[in-house]
Amino acid sequence: MFYREISRIKDNIKKYNKSLKIDNNLKQSIIILDFGSQYNQLIARRIRELGVYAEILPYYTPIKKIIKHHPIGLILSGGPSSVFSEKAALVEKELFELGIPILGICYGMQLIAHILGGEVKKGVKGEYGKAELSIYRKDRLFDDIPSNLTVWMSHFDEVATVPSGFKVTGSSTIKIASMADISRQIYAVQFHPEVTHTEYGTTIFKNFLFKICKAKKNWALNDFITTEIKRIQEIVGEKHVILGLSGGVDSSVAAVLIHKAIGNQLTCIFVDTGLLRKNEGKKVMENYGKHFNMNIKMVDASEGFLTHLKGIEDPEAKRKSIGHDFITVFNEEARKFNNATFLAQGTIYPDVIESSAVGGVSATIKSHHNVGGLPEDLKFKLLEPLVGLFKDEVRKVGIELGIPHELVYRHPFPGPGLGIRIVGEVNSEKVKILQEADAIFIEELYRNQLYEQTSQAFVGLLPVKSVGVMGDERTYEYTAVIRAVNTLDFMTATWSKLPYEFLEVVSNRIINEVKGINRVVYDISSKPPATIEWE
């Protein structure tokens, strides 16, 4: 019975592939099966950047459901699991019998070998970081790629024997670093082509997409805007929508997109938590209330947020307190809009992925502020127009919608706000000190044309006081830490090499202009091992 179903699915794929030639509107996609790798989002972004639509699904997604996404190629991601584990993340063998091209990456390669009859052996010391790959059997995956290149490895176990039908195509410090069964269009690499450390990674994906999967470019953000506006109009009709506007990129782009679709049927609620950047409330009202002529209700709830943070020092406890208060305030305000049917959120694709561990494989580093947590009795239908987009795609949509460049390309700001940039207990005095210091740093970055040369920059306040001298008086005040990083994907980041002269100006201004700080330090740690935010 099962094999008859597989046969039927194969026939459907053949019919689908034929239909692509006559129906250009039919969506084709690359499906990435998620085994818990921290780099999964990078794979999807690399593919979308090449103009092909990609989606990430949990590895345990049933074959029937995978087929409904019209895949023209499958990618099995890396992950922390081991095929020897009792709870190993596995897939059905029939997945390899569908006739769809497959690319296995890292754990994905080991999984292919394990399921198809090869041998995987436990690693002795593993292979991590940069390695030299030697390609000695060229196939379509390695077209236009030199025989020797630098790649990024991150594995412990390794393939010892390839399955029947496979040929070894490359080696590094391990004998089998890549393999392929060309007749079945199954390819596998032990390294990570999706990270920037791997040379020719983009070429490898191009080869897989266009030479192996025969993909056609079908992903353009201009098309997305037109299609999404029409979809919002059809879903909402004449009903009303409310949206929690934070002033950040995601919620702002979602608000402008929905407003473009339904105009005054949208009302935004802006909650001032008391943990925002200096003058943030005023800027939000001016930028979106006046510039875009949107309906915005501002709620000052700062006193309650700060009161509930009293005595709390643990970062996760602070996040939960802030998140709980935000939901409570927003819930109270939302109930006042009796005519609203939909609740809109600026949820983007990484929010969804990061907030849900895959089968217990991925570790949750921090609780997320944007997914889940809304009370079930709120009785709104969710509207999330950006839920399929990555951050860089959201920014491009914002520019297309006419949002000013400086707003679209603002650095990320955490949902809990300054509550997690003040290490330790939070109070109104510390918030005021940090707002002033941070404003000076950002102002100087803009003044020196350095803001867009950094990916994220801010000031943190440490729970450390030290002795200083200002004039002839002894001081005992807080230490501020400047943090600036450069990154392409926010999964890894390096500290920004800002000019010494610039840092000197920032330090002098903060110490001289901000009462409560007498010492400034610069954070020169990268991610990993550190995170970008301090908490």
Side-chain angles (χ1 to χ4, degrees):
M1 180 70 181
F2 181 80
Y3 288 98
R4 285 203 300 272
E5 179 65 19
I6 290 295
S7 178
R8 185 184 67 78
I9 291 173
K10 286 182 179 179
D11 289 339
N12 286 343
I13 293 174
K14 290 177 182 177
K15 292 177 183 177
Y16 168 72
N17 288 335
K18 289 180 180 178
S19 72
L20 283 176
K21 298 177 182 179
I22 59 174
D23 185 3
N24 292 326
N25 294 319
L26 190 59
K27 182 71 73 176
Q28 55 171 337
S29 65
I30 297 295
I31 293 299
I32 300 150
L33 292 185
D34 176 8
F35 291 89
S37 170
Q38 61 178 317
Y39 301 129
N40 289 337
Q41 295 177 40
L42 298 187
I43 301 173
R45 287 182 58 212
R46 296 289 177 264
I47 293 170
R48 290 189 185 187
E49 286 168 0
L50 293 170
V52 178
Y53 186 68
E55 286 188 79
I56 300 174
L57 298 177
Y59 73 87
Y60 48 77
T61 303
I63 290 177
K64 288 182 180 179
K65 186 173 180 181
I66 292 174
I67 295 304
K68 288 181 180 179
H69 289 261
H70 305 298
I72 57 169
L74 298 174
I75 295 179
L76 311 184
S77 83
S81 184
S82 168
V83 296
F84 301 110
S85 170
E86 290 182 8
K87 297 182 179 180
L90 304 175
V91 295
E92 297 171 287
K93 185 177 181 179
E94 287 73 24
L95 189 73
F96 301 98
E97 300 175 3
L98 297 177
I100 304 172
I102 293 175
L103 172 62
I105 296 175
C106 196
Y107 176 77
M109 173 169 165
Q110 297 164 18
L111 185 68
I112 290 171
H114 177 70
I115 291 179
L116 296 183
E119 179 189 356
V120 179
K121 68 178 182 180
K122 290 186 176 180
V124 178
K125 61 178 181 179
E127 187 179 27
Y128 303 97
K130 290 183 179 181
E132 295 302 312
L133 176 72
S134 296
I135 302 170
Y136 51 86
R137 189 188 298 271
K138 287 292 185 82
D139 55 36
R140 283 178 293 178
L141 190 69
F142 293 137
D143 275 356
D144 304 316
I145 292 175
S147 298
N148 295 285
L149 64 151
T150 300
V151 299
W152 186 260
M153 293 284 192
S154 182
H155 68 95
F156 190 72
D157 296 344
E158 62 187 75
V159 175
T161 306
V162 300
S164 176
F166 280 79
K167 302 291 184 183
V168 179
T169 58
S171 64
S172 60
T173 57
I174 56 174
K175 292 182 178 179
I176 306 175
S178 61
M179 63 183 190
D181 183 338
I182 296 175
S183 64
R184 286 196 283 178
Q185 299 188 91
I186 303 176
Y187 301 79
V189 295
Q190 188 58 68
F191 57 91
H192 289 273
E194 67 272 24
V195 303
T196 54
H197 304 296
T198 293
E199 295 179 320
Y200 299 94
T202 299
T203 304
I204 290 172
F205 282 119
K206 281 183 179 178
N207 290 339
F208 181 68
L209 295 176
F210 302 115
K211 295 185 178 182
I212 296 172
C213 298
K214 308 298 182 186
K216 295 179 180 179
K217 293 188 176 183
N218 64 349
W219 177 244
L221 289 176
N222 284 341
D223 295 338
F224 166 82
I225 293 172
T226 303
T227 303
E228 193 61 25
I229 286 174
K230 183 178 179 181
R231 189 183 77 89
I232 292 169
Q233 290 170 339
E234 290 175 350
I235 291 174
V236 174
E238 297 182 358
K239 298 180 177 67
H240 288 259
V241 179
I242 57 173
L243 178 145
L245 183 64
S246 68
V249 176
D250 302 337
S251 68
S252 298
V253 173
V256 175
L257 180 61
I258 295 170
H259 184 258
K260 192 174 183 66
I262 61 172
N264 288 331
Q265 291 170 245
L266 170 69
T267 299
C268 298
I269 300 174
F270 175 74
V271 178
D272 185 350
T273 64
L275 302 168
L276 304 176
R277 288 169 283 207
K278 183 179 179 181
N279 296 328
E280 184 72 7
K282 180 181 178 181
K283 292 176 182 177
V284 167
M285 298 303 290
E286 288 179 352
N287 291 329
Y288 298 101
K290 293 181 180 179
H291 183 76
F292 287 100
N293 197 30
M294 295 167 57
N295 296 325
I296 304 177
K297 180 178 181 182
M298 182 174 174
V299 182
D300 184 357
S302 55
E303 185 177 347
F305 278 83
L306 291 169
T307 298
H308 295 152
L309 285 170
K310 188 175 182 179
I312 300 177
E313 296 185 2
D314 178 71
E316 192 65 11
K318 288 195 290 185
R319 285 177 177 271
K320 289 180 178 178
S321 174
I322 295 166
H324 176 270
D325 282 357
F326 181 87
I327 290 167
T328 300
V329 172
F330 187 85
N331 187 14
E332 290 174 354
E333 293 300 321
R335 291 184 189 280
K336 297 175 183 178
F337 292 88
N338 297 322
N339 62 339
T341 304
F342 292 90
L343 169 64
Q345 292 191 123
T347 311
I348 64 174
Y349 206 20
D351 295 340
V352 178
I353 299 166
E354 291 173 359
S355 297
S356 57
V358 176
V361 175
S362 300
T364 301
I365 298 174
K366 301 173 186 174
S367 59
H368 205 280
H369 68 277
N370 206 31
V371 178
L374 291 172
E376 293 182 4
D377 63 349
L378 200 54
K379 302 192 186 307
F380 287 110
K381 297 177 182 178
L382 273 182
L383 183 63
E384 298 177 306
L386 308 179
V387 75
L389 302 184
F390 290 99
K391 177 72 79 174
D392 54 337
E393 294 173 325
V394 172
R395 287 195 164 110
K396 290 174 184 176
V397 168
I399 292 295
E400 290 292 330
L401 291 170
I403 301 176
H405 181 90
E406 62 271 19
L407 297 180
V408 171
Y409 282 90
R410 293 179 80 186
H411 291 174
F413 188 70
L418 301 183
I420 58 166
R421 290 182 177 175
I422 296 171
V423 179
E425 185 179 3
V426 179
N427 58 43
S428 58
E429 178 196 8
K430 292 180 181 178
V431 170
K432 177 66 174 175
I433 291 172
L434 183 54
Q435 284 176 332
E436 296 297 331
D438 187 73
I440 289 172
F441 182 35
I442 300 304
E443 179 186 319
E444 289 296 335
L445 284 170
Y446 274 116
R447 179 177 294 166
N448 290 274
Q449 289 80 51
L450 291 171
Y451 186 81
E452 291 194 16
Q453 292 184 33
T454 60
S455 305
Q456 188 167 354
F458 59 90
V459 176
L461 193 67
L462 302 183
V464 176
K465 283 190 172 184
S466 62
V467 174
V469 178
M470 301 184 78
D472 294 324
E473 294 185 4
R474 174 185 181 275
T475 62
Y476 189 62
E477 295 177 336
Y478 289 107
T479 299
V481 57
I482 296 173
R483 179 73 159 144
V485 299
N486 289 83
T487 177
L488 292 174
D489 47 52
F490 289 90
M491 304 300 291
T492 60
T494 56
W495 61 277
S496 303
K497 279 67 174 179
L498 297 175
Y500 290 145
E501 296 79 8
F502 168 80
L503 292 173
E504 183 179 24
V505 169
V506 172
S507 176
N508 286 340
R509 281 199 61 191
I510 290 175
I511 291 172
N512 289 325
E513 297 176 31
V514 182
K515 186 177 181 181
I517 294 175
N518 68 355
R519 192 177 298 268
V520 175
V521 298
Y522 189 43
D523 183 346
I524 59 170
S525 51
S526 294
K527 176 186 179 181
T531 56
I532 295 175
E533 297 286 349
W534 271 61
E535 291 191 335

